[in-house]
Amino acid sequence: MTVTRSVPPFAAGPVSAVAGVVAVVLTVLSGRYGYHRDELYFLVAGQKLDWGYIDQPPLTPLLARVSTEVFGNTPMGLRVVATVASAVTVVVVALLAREFGSSARGQVVAAVCAAISGFLLGVGHMVSTATFDLLAWMLIVLFAVKLLRTGDGRWWLALGLTAGVALENKYLVVLPVAALLLALLIAGPRHVLRSWWLLAGVVLAGLIALPNVVWQFQHDWPQLTVAGGISSDDGTENRIMFVPLQILQLGPLLVPVWIAGFRRLWRLTWPRSVALAYPLLCVGVLAVGGKSYYALPLLYVLMAAGAEPTLAWLTRHRALATTAAVFTAATSALFTLPVLPTSAVDFVLPVNKEQGEQIGWPELTATVAAAVPIGEPITILTGNYGQAGALRRYGPAHNLPLAYSPHMSFADWEHPPDTPTTPVLLIQLERSPALESNFPNCRLLTTFTSPVANTEQNTTLLRCDPPTTPWSTLWPTLRRFY
């Protein structure tokens, strides 16, 4: 027998105010530094809309296209969608706290904890698949919790709809869904699984995700190749740093909040499966060598559950709590947002290398332009999608020709024409004898010095003779999936 549990009123005003502050902060800072390397990739992908790409489904490039078409092709214009998604995420975290029985003040505590957390601010600052993944996961769990609280099987439809859309953003969403289903089988209540609404939700999710699944099938599942390469390259490091990075990425002083949330959900019994889903998800991510942030969104769920017990502690230690909140907000902003001058960014790179990935792209383009004699036909071949994206974005202002890359989906979009043959400007992070062997008489022109110690530091520019093999024949051998 299902017992419908009532929930407190929603603290719409205060929670919206917290979300509004997040939106204002992200907007004010959104134009600093510049595009991230992934954003440069999304800009090009958004101009070449398809049902799929080598390394991802189509939703994030589509949102990048919409945002730049409406608000302009600038970092600030691109990031409007990320800002909105993160502000809405703050609201959804508060709604989750409400589902767990938190009072209005407890809901505000949940919203504030989300708002000052490093991960939310980091993914909210720029457009990434993780930005929309976080919001999708919060909505999926919100609908799952409503299902458990009310026993109304129709929530499976909302869950399926959200999961389907999330699958068009990133396949990673299958992990929390699988963890939730396994947790339900272990901890219950199992009666919610005995419903035709569950089947309807699965069908709905499948129909929404089907176009990208078909695209992946038609292209021999390249996303699995990409995922396998990431796991083989970084799997051991990901496992070693899994716990420390989760603590750092959310915020060390927020650990007691989500621990209190886990204990509270376990004691409430009816949402016990939600608590169990987190360790189950961690086991799955560790098994495949995934990154620490793959499991991080469920900590926001535990944090929402821990808001009410945390509130009782806050009332007894207000000065200490205020200090902790200010410290967490300040450190989160320092390490995830562009608050430092570029000359000081090297300080935060050991903790968050993504800061450096937003700096130096116009300078790299200028270096390339200086290496190309005016009016000389040349083929520009870049080693990664960040370089190619930067030259596509900033190159026209320098009258540079179209830049090509065999990296990720750039390999599918264009390759150099077989005729006419022109010299090659080869741009590499590191010298590669295997790659250079395809181009006779390569000589070093210059080495790029980035303003910060980021990935592109010491990128080499070489001038080579045209390849002896036609580009159409050579191109498939140059493809890189990771």
Side-chain angles (χ1 to χ4, degrees):
M1 180 178 177
T2 301
V3 178
T4 300
R5 299 167 179 83
S6 61
V7 294
F10 181 49
V15 168
S16 297
V18 175
V21 170
V22 171
V24 169
V25 170
L26 292 176
T27 299
V28 169
L29 296 175
S30 63
R32 286 177 56 81
Y33 294 177
Y35 298 102
H36 186 275
R37 92 168 42 246
D38 291 350
E39 291 178 319
L40 292 166
Y41 182 44
F42 297 142
L43 288 177
V44 182
Q47 296 299 319
K48 301 178 181 297
L49 292 176
D50 202 344
W51 283 114
Y53 303 92
I54 292 298
D55 53 337
Q56 64 189 304
L59 184 59
T60 296
L62 172 62
L63 292 175
R65 170 75 176 272
V66 170
S67 198
T68 53
E69 290 287 347
V70 176
F71 301 104
N73 191 357
T74 63
M76 180 176 286
L78 171 65
R79 291 165 176 167
V80 170
V81 287
T83 297
V84 172
S86 295
V88 174
T89 300
V90 170
V91 175
V92 177
V93 170
L95 287 170
L96 273 166
R98 174 178 179 257
E99 289 295 318
F100 296 133
S102 291
S103 62
R105 293 176 63 201
Q107 295 167 34
V108 174
V109 169
V112 170
C113 287
I116 64 177
S117 64
F119 184 67
L120 183 138
L121 292 177
V123 301
H125 167 61
M126 60 189 184
V127 172
S128 70
T129 54
T131 308
F132 310 110
D133 238 18
L134 178 59
L135 174 56
W137 285 37
M138 293 301 97
L139 288 171
I140 286 170
V141 178
L142 175 64
F143 298 140
V145 171
K146 285 181 174 292
L147 169 68
L148 298 178
R149 181 178 64 81
T150 65
D152 187 343
R154 288 174 295 182
W155 285 110
W156 281 117
L157 288 178
L159 205 156
L161 173 65
T162 309
V165 174
L167 284 168
E168 291 289 0
N169 179 62
K170 202 169 186 177
Y171 283 171
L172 194 63
V173 73
V174 301
L175 292 178
V177 172
L180 283 168
L181 291 174
L182 182 57
L184 278 172
L185 288 171
I186 295 172
R190 299 181 187 87
H191 68 84
V192 298
L193 299 172
R194 298 189 292 268
S195 169
W196 286 105
W197 289 110
L198 169 57
L199 178 60
V202 171
V203 170
L204 181 58
L207 288 174
I208 296 172
L210 184 60
N212 179 251
V213 173
V214 171
W215 189 95
Q216 286 286 323
F217 171 76
Q218 292 173 336
H219 294 77
D220 298 323
W221 304 101
Q223 201 162 341
L224 295 180
T225 304
V226 174
I230 292 173
S231 179
S232 63
D233 281 357
D234 304 327
T236 300
E237 180 182 351
N238 290 342
R239 293 182 180 96
I240 293 172
M241 296 301 297
F242 187 80
V243 173
L245 281 179
Q246 285 202 36
I247 292 173
L248 289 173
Q249 288 167 339
L250 193 66
L253 297 184
L254 295 175
V255 171
V257 182
W258 58 260
I259 290 178
F262 185 92
R263 295 177 60 189
R264 182 166 179 242
L265 294 183
W266 200 260
R267 291 172 178 171
L268 285 175
T269 305
W270 67 269
R272 183 173 289 176
S273 57
V274 178
L276 182 59
Y278 172 68
L280 291 176
L281 177 60
C282 289
V283 170
V285 174
L286 284 168
V288 300
K291 298 181 183 296
S292 60
Y293 73 85
Y294 289 2
L296 202 58
L298 287 192
L299 284 182
Y300 282 85
V301 179
L302 299 182
M303 197 161 59
E308 192 67 22
T310 299
L311 179 61
W313 182 87
L314 293 176
T315 56
R316 298 193 302 270
H317 306 87
R318 291 188 179 182
L320 183 59
T322 301
T323 301
V326 171
F327 177 80
T328 299
T331 53
S332 294
L334 177 67
F335 287 102
T336 64
L337 298 178
V339 295
L340 294 175
T342 56
S343 59
V345 168
D346 286 346
F347 168 74
V348 303
L349 294 188
V351 177
N352 181 17
K353 67 177 183 179
E354 308 305 332
Q355 294 275 56
E357 297 302 305
Q358 304 168 59
I359 298 171
W361 299 112
E363 291 84 351
L364 174 63
T365 307
T367 300
V368 172
V372 176
I374 297 175
E376 179 186 8
I378 198 164
T379 298
I380 300 178
L381 182 65
T382 68
N384 63 59
Y385 62 70
Q387 297 165 350
L391 294 175
R392 297 272 181 114
R393 174 63 182 84
Y394 298 111
H398 296 272
N399 296 314
L400 287 173
L402 189 70
Y404 301 95
S405 177
H407 191 209
M408 296 299 189
S409 285
F410 268 98
D412 296 319
W413 293 331
E414 299 100 2
H415 65 72
D418 289 337
T419 56
T421 57
T422 62
V424 176
L425 182 66
L426 190 59
I427 303 174
Q428 304 177 83
L429 293 181
E430 297 178 356
R431 296 288 297 268
S432 171
L435 177 62
E436 293 174 28
S437 66
N438 297 291
F439 309 98
N441 302 320
C442 287
R443 59 183 178 87
L444 180 66
L445 294 179
T446 186
T447 299
F448 170 64
T449 302
S450 174
V452 298
N454 60 12
T455 304
E456 297 298 324
Q457 186 67 276
N458 298 322
T459 291
T460 59
L461 280 66
L462 297 92
R463 189 182 191 279
C464 308
D465 289 345
T468 55
T469 304
W471 280 106
S472 56
T473 303
L474 176 63
W475 197 247
T477 69
L478 302 181
R479 174 185 282 281
R480 288 181 50 225
F481 286 98
Y482 43 87

